[in-house]
Amino acid sequence: KEYVNLTHALRPLRDLYGSLPAVQFGPQALKAVRQHMIDVQQLCRTEINKRIGRIRRVFKWAVAEELVTSGVLEALRAVDGLRRGRTGARENAPVRPVDSAQVEAILPLVSRQLAAMIQLQLLTGMRPGEVVQLRPIDLDRTGPIWFYTPPTHKTQYLGHAKRIPLGPQAQALLAPFLER
């Protein structure tokens, strides 16, 4: 997915400055790319800030590979991100939870495994990837509350451990899938 995100971030840079040597790309050019994202692509402020960050990361990689000097990257870092209410970029509406009635309505239409996964997410707040990779070996079922330790998770690279408690309702959902 990050590869796709990088291609989206770099497209306006390529369109506007594709023939310009990277060592000549500076803050004014980055601001022009940012303005293109506002005016032409009509992206929201947070997405623009993410894409500008990805462009900076590409230049950081280029510095590490000695393709451009560190001065180019430092100049690009001088361009501030867009701030809420201080730009022409639109703001995204906050993401709201799905209405529980809509979730309940789809449960009879999906397989029993998928229905259990959806219900387990509702009960525990697990991320979809954590539910999908759940294995019996990752469950500690020794006490009245079970604990699920995902083999991988979002903050693993920071050295954080993750244990998800599974109460009686979650245990009842999982039980049929644990019996062989």
Side-chain angles (χ1 to χ4, degrees):
K1 173 123 187 192
E2 187 60 14
Y3 171 78
V4 173
N5 290 335
L6 282 167
T7 60
H8 290 308
L10 294 172
R11 188 169 294 134
L13 184 139
R14 185 194 66 209
D15 293 346
L16 297 172
Y17 296 99
S19 60
L20 184 73
V23 295
Q24 294 177 13
F25 188 81
Q28 291 303 317
L30 186 60
K31 287 179 182 180
V33 169
R34 185 176 68 186
Q35 195 61 44
H36 177 84
M37 292 178 183
I38 294 170
D39 297 337
V40 178
Q41 294 181 312
Q42 298 181 343
L43 299 173
C44 71
R45 179 185 58 85
T46 55
E47 182 61 25
I48 292 168
N49 284 341
K50 288 177 191 175
R51 290 185 183 192
I52 294 299
R54 287 184 177 104
I55 291 170
R56 286 190 191 111
R57 259 196 5 246
V58 168
F59 278 89
K60 181 180 177 182
W61 172 84
V63 168
E65 296 297 317
E66 297 182 350
L67 299 172
V68 297
T69 63
S70 60
V72 174
L73 176 61
E74 285 307 310
L76 297 180
R77 285 183 177 154
V79 177
D80 287 332
L82 298 175
R83 294 197 177 112
R84 177 182 293 274
R86 297 186 177 203
T87 177
R90 66 180 174 83
E91 291 293 333
N92 248 6
V95 177
R96 301 279 182 225
V98 175
D99 182 30
S100 59
Q102 291 177 328
V103 174
E104 293 296 326
I106 65 153
L107 292 177
L109 305 174
V110 298
S111 68
R112 71 182 185 95
Q113 294 89 346
L114 187 54
M117 292 167 81
I118 292 168
Q119 291 170 317
L120 194 58
Q121 277 188 274
L122 289 171
L123 289 170
T124 64
M126 273 192 249
R127 296 176 177 276
E130 293 166 345
V131 174
V132 169
Q133 62 184 344
L134 191 146
R135 306 173 301 175
I137 195 169
D138 300 321
L139 291 173
D140 174 5
R141 298 186 275 173
T142 56
I145 302 294
W146 296 356
F147 288 94
Y148 166 47
T149 305
T152 61
H153 58 87
K154 183 177 178 178
T155 58
Q156 181 177 5
Y157 75 99
L158 295 172
H160 295 276
K162 184 159 189 177
R163 290 186 66 196
I164 300 167
L166 304 171
Q169 290 177 313
Q171 293 172 21
L173 278 172
L174 288 174
F177 302 105
L178 299 174
E179 298 167 3
R180 300 242 177 211

